Amino acid sequence: MLKQQLNLKLSQKLSPQQIQLMKLIQLPTQAFEQRVKQELEDNPALDSGKEDQDNFDDEFKNEEVESDSEIIETDSEIDVDEYLSDDEIPDYRTQANNYSKDDDEKTIPYASGVSFSQYLKTQLQSFRLSEEEKQIAEFLVGSVDESGYIRRETIEIVDDLAFTQNIYTDEETVEKIFQIVHKLDPAGVGARSLQECLLIQLKRKTPTQSTALSIKIIEEAFEQFSKRHYQKLLSKFSISEDELRDVIDEISHLNPKPGGSYAGNNRIVEHVVPDFTIKIKDGELQLSLNGRNAPTMHVSREYSNMLKGYKETDKKTKKQKDAVMFIKQKLDAAKWFIEAIRQRQETLFVTMNAIMHHQYEYFMTGDERDLKPMILKDIADKIGMDVSTVSRVANSKYVDTPYGTKLIKEFFSESMTNSEGEEVSTLEIKKILQITIEKEDKKKPLTDEKLAKILKDKGYPIARRTVAKYREQLDIPVARLRKEI
């Protein structure tokens, strides 16, 4: 039995243009530039920069399309005049000329130099090595991680050399090459543990009484030293507090991560390009969008001329119709992309402007204690946009302030109520916690429980476990590891 029924359904879908805009918004400056470059390569109807001719050809603006029975179907789909008149007055022609080109910060930083692995391999050339030893040394250098360590057992390296490099060797030979790798710069590179890393650096220093004692302590009592059991060290080595203090000072100046100065083991340091700039001028905040986020785009003149030729042709062939349909698709894509860029610029500026005014006190002083509680919904409500849009801006964009370049999402924080009933930012509490720990007596560092009591006395009633969470987020160790002689 057949049954017919009518259902009403209301659904919300994103158009391809909206999806394209959302993807553009979440891109940081450098990735956005690559996206624009890719679009220019993919769409020949899209051009960047100003046109070569100053006077735009608009003689076709008011002309009527001739009626032709052969092309009724095509002309009904394509309004040629619409595309000929498009971009008649590009944005760049309406811009004021009373400012210098230097006002836009379009400087493109570039990364130069060699990768960490290549830097280490270059140093191997200063050693006399056989072909096999050189291959083993290069394999070890290639195994160095981002921190500068080789976190693998010697036997595993021997096996890998046999399977991947067809080099059959033994542990003794690999240990010999390890000693060569340990002579490379920066000091400590190629170590297999923190203990070995510190010893390599100490043994390369000019021998002194303090250095000799430091080596002895690291070799014989590394666990006690790392856990700061100072009284046990004083007793075990029969030394004074001053001598132990010198040892601690010397070891604290060593580099526990010799590869840390490189952003990656096999990649060059990446530069952060701020998307916004906030300056203080005449006591007021000024916000500007990085000029590289506002490229000048327009529809290709060549494609407009193609439509002109099609319009003036009396007889339209099938090939010409197909060509015009292709041009229509490319022109539509070009217009969508240009409009998406414009909306991206507007969204970025409006969002950052709302954030700047919400955190006005902070941007005027630079004191993190002036940061107000702020969540994504606060800004979304102010600018009348969705929370997801604000999130796309905050999570991937940087702003250049008088106090350094900051990731925008760092300005967002939850709120809590202090003892006076006022809403305060968790960032403010973290800053006060950090200052309290910096001022503590390092001989008797404050425990989390004592820190919670101090914060409560200052008007911030938070639990001990919350103090521990904030302390870990600030990368501050527990009280025992903060203890000093």
Side-chain angles (χ1 to χ4, degrees), residues 87-276:
D87 198 33
E88 180 183 355
I89 305 179
D91 290 340
Y92 60 78
R93 297 186 177 230
T94 62
Q95 293 175 354
N97 294 320
N98 58 348
Y99 65 90
S100 170
K101 293 181 179 180
D102 296 335
D103 290 346
D104 288 338
E105 298 182 9
K106 297 185 178 181
T107 304
I108 302 178
Y110 61 91
S112 61
V114 297
S115 67
F116 190 24
S117 291
Q118 188 59 46
Y119 172 64
L120 297 175
K121 287 179 181 178
T122 302
Q123 296 181 59
L124 292 175
Q125 298 175 6
S126 61
F127 297 89
R128 287 191 176 185
L129 302 172
S130 64
E131 186 61 31
E132 181 178 296
E133 290 174 336
K134 182 180 179 183
Q135 290 179 323
I136 296 174
E138 290 183 350
F139 183 84
L140 291 178
V141 165
S143 301
V144 174
D145 65 16
E146 293 187 354
S147 297
Y149 289 84
I150 299 178
R151 304 181 191 275
R152 309 185 63 195
E153 297 294 333
T154 306
I155 187 62
E156 293 178 0
I157 295 174
V158 172
D159 290 340
D160 276 356
L161 284 169
F163 284 111
T164 63
Q165 306 295 321
N166 201 28
I167 299 174
Y168 296 92
T169 184
D170 53 32
E171 294 184 51
E172 184 179 351
T173 303
V174 173
E175 286 292 340
K176 175 185 174 184
I177 304 302
F178 256 116
Q179 301 308 313
I180 294 174
V181 173
H182 291 166
K183 295 179 181 179
L184 303 179
D185 289 326
V189 70
R192 285 157 286 186
S193 65
L194 175 59
Q195 182 180 14
E196 186 176 38
C197 178
L198 298 177
L199 285 173
I200 292 171
Q201 297 179 60
L202 287 170
K203 291 177 180 179
R204 288 177 63 170
K205 297 183 70 173
T206 303
T208 63
Q209 185 176 354
S210 177
T211 302
L213 181 57
S214 298
I215 294 174
K216 188 176 181 180
I217 290 177
I218 294 298
E219 285 180 335
E220 301 177 13
F222 177 72
E223 185 176 356
Q224 293 175 332
F225 179 82
S226 61
K227 293 183 177 180
R228 305 204 177 196
H229 294 159
Y230 295 140
Q231 292 301 322
K232 293 182 180 180
L233 293 176
L234 293 173
S235 176
K236 181 174 182 177
F237 294 97
S238 301
I239 55 177
S240 64
E241 287 191 0
D242 289 337
E243 289 176 312
L244 181 56
R245 190 177 292 110
D246 291 339
V247 168
I248 295 172
D249 181 65
E250 183 163 26
I251 295 177
S252 64
H253 283 82
L254 302 178
N255 187 0
K257 294 183 179 181
S261 57
Y262 292 80
N265 186 34
N266 293 308
R267 63 182 183 273
I268 299 171
V269 176
E270 297 178 355
H271 291 74
V272 171
V273 179
D275 302 85
F276 308 92

Side-chain angles (χ1 to χ4, degrees), residues 9-61:
K9 181 180 179 182
L10 183 63
S11 62
Q12 192 175 36
K13 294 183 179 180
L14 290 175
S15 67
Q17 294 83 3
Q18 290 173 313
I19 295 174
Q20 183 183 55
L21 175 60
M22 291 300 101
K23 289 182 177 180
L24 288 178
I25 287 176
Q26 68 186 11
L27 294 176
T29 299
Q30 289 177 306
F32 173 69
E33 287 181 324
Q34 293 299 318
R35 177 67 181 86
V36 171
K37 182 179 179 182
Q38 183 64 43
E39 188 69 20
L40 287 170
E41 292 175 354
D42 294 343
N43 191 350
L46 190 65
D47 278 348
S48 64
K50 295 184 179 181
E51 294 176 286
D52 295 334
Q53 300 181 17
D54 291 333
N55 298 320
F56 185 73
D57 187 1
D58 61 347
E59 58 179 305
F60 310 102
K61 178 180 178 183

Side-chain angles (χ1 to χ4, degrees), residues 330-358:
K330 293 301 180 183
L331 288 176
D332 283 340
K335 290 196 300 180
W336 291 342
F337 192 73
I338 292 172
E339 178 62 18
I341 290 179
R342 186 194 66 77
Q343 292 185 29
R344 178 183 185 271
Q345 296 168 12
E346 181 179 339
T347 301
L348 293 184
F349 191 87
V350 168
T351 304
M352 188 62 223
N353 188 60
I355 293 173
M356 180 183 73
H357 282 90
H358 191 95

